Structures are given as structure tokens and as C-alpha cells.
Amino acid sequence: MHSRHRPVAAALLALIACSCASGDAAARSLRRVAEPGCARARERPASTDDRYPNQPPGLRVVADRPFSTSPELPWVDYARGNFSIVQDPTARQSPPLVGQATFPAGFSGGSEPINLYVPIPEAKTLYVSWWMKLSPGFEGHPRSGVNKIFHIWIGGANRVTLSAQGAGTSALQPQVRLQRVAVPGGAVNLLPNAAPGATVVRGRWQHWELVLVANGDGNADGSVELWLDGVKVSDYCDQRFIAGTQDARWQSLNWAPTWGGTGASVRRPMYMWIDHIYISGL
């Protein structure tokens, strides 16, 4: 998503937005997390909600969208020409209604067919859960392999994106991709380091979970965790999303599935379906 897709104005935001613990606790109440590439280890109390098994404790619900209607507060559906709510009795969390993003034949690379936005008030730790299915004939952008799902904003920019990365009909990989971040070059692609063989399977509902912790005071102490169908696929510490002069709080999330990379166009209609987006933070 390009810089022109910035969060809605502050007035609209105002209108819409009305522990790590350590020790020797029993294994059934604490989930130990192995962290490839991290110098430290974490222990996290197990979630008490089976729908969100990797949600950190103590977070407050920000938005809970079952796609019953459009719009659906606090979401703002402000680019929805190719968005619809359809029935899918196979949906895993809140059937039968799901959100559908259509990539029509001839759709140009480098943009997104829909843009649905939700503000995130005052959160340094963010948890996002969603069920997603791509149509069986979904083709990745042929030049870049970039097939974004969400854009997450911090410090006034969409610095974190989720992508089902892969070109054409090749296998798709779940990636967290950082852009405009405070590191040399400004971009980092976080490939699955905890489960390198993880794939996004076309035509199948899969459960994604994401935990982001913002860095503080410009330090490289942020973190990214990603699960697919309950399996941790990516785990990165020591991330520097923003500089010390920028607001170190997550600000908004957009379902704006940018296809590409510039160039190329969609050859035949294809779809991205999401069943239930749940967001919490603190």
C-alpha cells in the first residue's frame, strides 16, 4: 500500500475510537517459547481462550469483526468497490459469513482492490488473529512475488505488512515484511525462521496469529511473532521499527491486499477470503 493510503483524519479517529513472567510455574499454565535468533527466552501464560491460543495475557479487545455487515464499527470500509460479504459454510470461526476481496481480471499490480481500516488506540503490544483462504487459482504477483494481506501502522507509516509471498502458482510463504523502518536500507523481510517450510495453502482455511511489540526510545528491542495453524513460524527479537522521535504505539491496521510490485495484471478473477479478524492490544 502506497503512502497515499494513510489513516483517516484525526477527527475521524476521535469519532471511531470511543508479562512476560518467569519462574517455575507448572508447564500446563506456562508456554515456553523457543526464539530462534533471540538472545533471551520468554515464558508466557497460556491463553484461556481456545480461539486465540497465542494471545498474550492482559490485552484489551480493540476490534472483533465477524463480517456480519459493512460497515462494522470501529472499522471504516473506505475503498470497497471489490469488497463483499459472502457465505461460506466451511468458515472456521464465525460461519457462514466471510469478507471477500476480489482481484478482477485485468487488475494492475502495485495496488490493492479493497481498503478496510481500523484504528488502534494506545497499544505498544498488539495481537491479531484471522482465518484466511485464498482461491484455488490464486496467482502471486509474477515479478515481485508480493501478495500482501495487512498493513499495520506505527509512527505515522505502514511499517509492518503481512504477505503470502510467492510468484505465479509457486508455493506461498507466510512472511512479515518491514518497510520504512529505522534500520539501514529501511526494509527487512522476516522469513519463517521457526518453521522454514511453512506454506500458505491455496483453497484452505488457515489460522494466522501475530504478536507485535513496539520498540521503545529508538532502541532495537521490538519483536515479531507469527503462528500459522497454531505452529510458530516466525520469531524475531531486537527489531527497530521506529526512531526515538516517533510515536512508539501501534496506530491502525488496514486489510488492503496489495498485489505486487508494479507491472503485470491479474489474468483471471481470484479471491482472498477472511473469516473473523480479532485484534487486542495494550
Side-chain angles (χ1 to χ4, degrees):
M1 186 173 66
H2 301 297
S3 59
R4 67 177 184 273
H5 297 294
R6 298 198 178 277
V8 293
L12 182 56
L13 284 173
L15 176 65
I16 296 171
C18 305
S19 340
C20 287
S22 60
D24 297 324
R28 64 178 175 270
S29 63
L30 284 173
R31 177 183 294 110
R32 187 146 186 105
V33 180
E35 296 190 300
C38 292
R40 65 182 183 272
R42 277 181 302 216
E43 288 183 340
R44 174 178 296 154
S47 173
T48 58
D49 191 333
D50 291 341
R51 297 171 301 172
Y52 313 117
N54 294 294
Q55 177 177 219
L59 303 188
R60 297 189 293 263
V61 177
V62 171
D64 192 6
R65 183 162 195 179
F67 293 102
S68 299
T69 186
S70 177
E72 199 167 29
L73 294 177
W75 286 79
V76 180
D77 301 347
Y78 63 82
R80 53 180 181 168
N82 290 300
F83 171 71
S84 57
I85 295 175
V86 300
Q87 293 201 13
D88 184 342
T90 70
R92 299 296 302 276
Q93 184 167 339
S94 53
L97 299 179
V98 301
Q100 174 178 282
T102 298
F103 299 78
F107 183 80
S108 297
S111 58
E112 53 280 335
I114 69 169
N115 195 339
L116 314 184
Y117 156 82
V118 64
I120 299 168
E122 304 290 328
K124 289 184 68 68
T125 297
L126 187 68
Y127 171 81
V128 187
S129 164
W130 70 102
W131 286 86
M132 189 183 81
K133 181 170 70 171
L134 300 175
S135 54
F138 188 94
E139 294 186 359
H141 187 262
R143 298 184 182 179
S144 66
V146 172
N147 312 292
K148 292 180 181 178
I149 307 163
F150 293 151
H151 298 250
I152 302 173
W153 293 67
I154 187 171
N158 53 335
R159 303 180 194 274
V160 178
T161 68
L162 279 294
S163 180
Q165 194 73 15
T169 59
S170 65
L172 302 174
Q173 184 182 67
Q175 288 188 14
V176 181
R177 297 170 70 88
L178 309 183
Q179 58 191 27
R180 305 185 179 96
V181 290
V183 299
V188 182
N189 297 329
L190 303 180
L191 280 61
N193 61 348
T199 58
V200 181
V201 182
R202 297 170 176 86
R204 179 190 300 176
W205 285 109
Q206 291 180 287
H207 187 201
W208 298 60
E209 296 174 274
L210 175 71
V211 174
L212 297 173
V213 178
N215 65 300
D217 298 323
N219 299 320
D221 57 4
S223 62
V224 175
E225 298 172 88
L226 180 67
W227 292 261
L228 192 63
D229 291 332
V231 176
K232 176 169 276 193
V233 298
S234 296
D235 198 341
Y236 287 88
C237 295
D238 307 324
Q239 299 302 302
R240 191 169 185 256
F241 303 108
I242 57 173
T245 57
Q246 297 167 315
D247 189 358
R249 293 172 294 183
W250 303 106
Q251 297 169 321
S252 63
L253 178 146
N254 294 64
W255 180 17
T258 310
W259 190 68
T262 57
S265 60
V266 172
R267 298 193 305 161
R268 59 182 65 88
M270 56 189 193
Y271 306 91
M272 176 184 290
W273 296 288
I274 290 187
D275 168 34
H276 215 108
I277 304 175
Y278 171 87
I279 304 171
S280 60
L282 185 64

